[in-house]
Amino acid sequence: MPPSDEQISQLIHNAKPDMNPKIMYKEQLNDHQMLIFTTIVQHADHIMIWEAGILQWAKGDMSWSVQGKVEVPILTELEYGNLTTEGINGAFYYTFVPFVEKTPSLLVFGASIDPDVDSIWMTDQSNQVHTAKMIRHAHGAYTLWFTPLPGLDESSYKLHAVDAESVTQPMNFNDHEIPLNRKLDMSRFTPEEIHIPLNLADNQTEVNPVIKLLNTTATERSEGISIRATYQLRDGKSEFWISQSSGDQGNPEQVLEDLKSNFPAETLTETIINGHKALIEQNEIRGQIFIVTENYFYSVASTYSVDIEILLSAAKQIKVH
């Protein structure tokens, strides 16, 4: 007989008492093993740590081991709004972990932030489909999804997903493939590779509106690497973020022109920042600044509560390449 819910919760809590892990979902694998997904919320860093672990029990003994984890961002209202306009490609955070010791295999699991995603699956090199189980509202609006995969070569698998409006159409693997989106350790980057300022909160004076660097993240995507920093202002509530994304941008002038089509003309102005043309978009709900070069896309953004001059000051400290 498997342990009770109370026994399981106590065991997991005792493993990390200072982190307060919570069980999101559990599924019994056999007579002595259970797959359990937990979350640890780190409000100060604006992230959740989702972990996949195996609970084992036999003859009154019980053990818990974490197999792997994935960082999931806690989005602000503005970030979520931007995500819904970008589509499902930016809504996935996932990882591969070892799953079964005797028969080598993988477990892929992660979070989907887009509520319209209706189906998620992985394919291998022969286009064999491995459909993921989706646990909706596993944590608030976030969906937990997972599926076991044979073998240990994670590079041979591709992630696919469709939203509710697409599931009635024929499944085209290439059309619905989700591009690479993998978290990277910030320590791998040299100071020269980081163009955005990470020191805006270092000089704590009354005239500096920035009080804290909340977090920095790096993500590898199919088109390049994105690095982002989030800052908190002196009021303790308002935030803004600044980012750089590598990748071939083609004609920077054309990229900015294309961006203009996404916003009402009356919300846009142009300026020059560090010798490069910049596009400013400002309305009643947000402020954004975009700078584009042949190899990089830079942006600074916030909610309406942040003065555009603060964003401009931050943008001027980007080492534009």
Side-chain angles (χ1 to χ4, degrees), residues 43-265:
H43 291 288
D45 296 325
H46 291 247
I47 60 170
M48 296 180 287
I49 309 297
W50 286 17
E51 295 181 331
I54 299 294
L55 176 74
Q56 301 191 64
W57 66 91
K59 298 181 180 179
D61 293 329
M62 186 171 56
S63 64
W64 158 256
S65 61
V66 174
Q67 303 298 298
K69 63 182 181 180
V70 62
E71 288 189 3
V72 182
I74 300 175
L75 299 184
T76 65
E77 184 177 349
L78 175 61
E79 289 173 312
Y80 185 81
N82 287 341
L83 182 65
T84 57
T85 63
E86 294 169 2
I88 63 177
N89 287 0
F92 289 87
Y93 298 83
Y94 64 99
T95 190
F96 295 86
V97 299
F99 188 42
V100 180
E101 295 182 0
K102 293 183 179 180
T103 304
S105 63
L106 294 168
L107 175 76
V108 58
F109 78 97
S112 168
I113 303 174
D114 191 331
D116 293 329
V117 171
D118 191 86
S119 182
I120 302 171
W121 69 96
M122 306 292 292
T123 57
D124 56 25
Q125 293 175 333
S126 62
N127 269 349
Q128 182 177 354
V129 176
H130 304 270
T131 303
K133 176 177 284 190
M134 298 175 63
I135 311 302
R136 298 191 183 278
H137 306 293
H139 186 101
Y142 295 71
T143 295
L144 165 70
W145 60 272
F146 65 94
T147 185
L149 302 168
L152 294 174
D153 182 12
E154 62 184 67
S155 65
S156 65
Y157 291 98
K158 294 181 179 180
L159 173 65
H160 307 258
V162 290
D163 59 27
E165 294 181 354
S166 302
V167 294
T168 57
Q169 303 299 319
M171 292 292 193
N172 183 304
F173 294 117
N174 294 324
D175 286 351
H176 298 302
E177 182 182 337
I178 302 300
L180 175 67
N181 191 332
R182 184 171 301 179
K183 294 296 181 182
L184 301 176
D185 192 325
M186 285 292 296
S187 63
R188 64 170 283 177
F189 299 99
T190 65
E192 293 74 23
E193 292 174 312
I194 302 175
H195 308 162
I196 60 174
L198 303 182
N199 61 350
L200 297 182
D202 288 357
N203 184 21
Q204 286 300 305
T205 64
E206 290 186 1
V207 297
N208 184 5
V210 182
I211 192 172
K212 185 178 182 181
L213 173 62
L214 292 174
N215 59 64
T216 56
T217 60
T219 306
E220 181 183 10
R221 297 188 172 95
S222 302
E223 62 272 17
I225 293 175
S226 175
I227 299 175
R228 192 175 88 157
T230 304
Y231 285 98
Q232 186 175 69
L233 299 187
R234 193 163 293 279
D235 63 7
K237 300 178 181 179
S238 302
E239 300 173 7
F240 73 91
W241 55 95
I242 182 168
S243 67
Q244 68 179 67
S245 299
S246 64
D248 183 8
Q249 303 299 326
N251 184 339
E253 293 269 354
Q254 187 59 51
V255 173
L256 289 177
E257 286 299 316
D258 292 342
L259 275 173
K260 290 179 181 179
S261 64
N262 296 324
F263 312 107

Side-chain angles (χ1 to χ4, degrees), residues 296-309:
Y296 287 92
F297 185 98
Y298 303 95
S299 66
V300 187
S302 74
T303 58
Y304 63 90
S305 58
V306 178
D307 191 321
I308 195 67
E309 292 299 325

Side-chain angles (χ1 to χ4, degrees), residues 5-76:
D5 289 349
E6 184 178 353
Q7 289 174 315
I8 296 172
S9 296
Q10 190 63 51
L11 177 66
I12 293 175
H13 175 77
N14 291 343
K16 296 180 178 179
D18 297 334
M19 306 300 287
N20 194 28
K22 300 292 186 182
I23 296 175
M24 293 190 294
Y25 179 77
K26 60 184 186 296
E27 184 172 294
Q28 190 165 336
L29 301 176
N30 49 48
D31 291 338
H32 61 278
Q33 286 185 320
M34 186 179 295
L35 174 64
I36 302 178
F37 296 94
T38 61
T39 180
I40 297 171
V41 180
Q42 298 181 349
H43 291 288
D45 296 325
H46 291 247
I47 60 170
M48 296 180 287
I49 309 297
W50 286 17
E51 295 181 331
I54 299 294
L55 176 74
Q56 301 191 64
W57 66 91
K59 298 181 180 179
D61 293 329
M62 186 171 56
S63 64
W64 158 256
S65 61
V66 174
Q67 303 298 298
K69 63 182 181 180
V70 62
E71 288 189 3
V72 182
I74 300 175
L75 299 184
T76 65

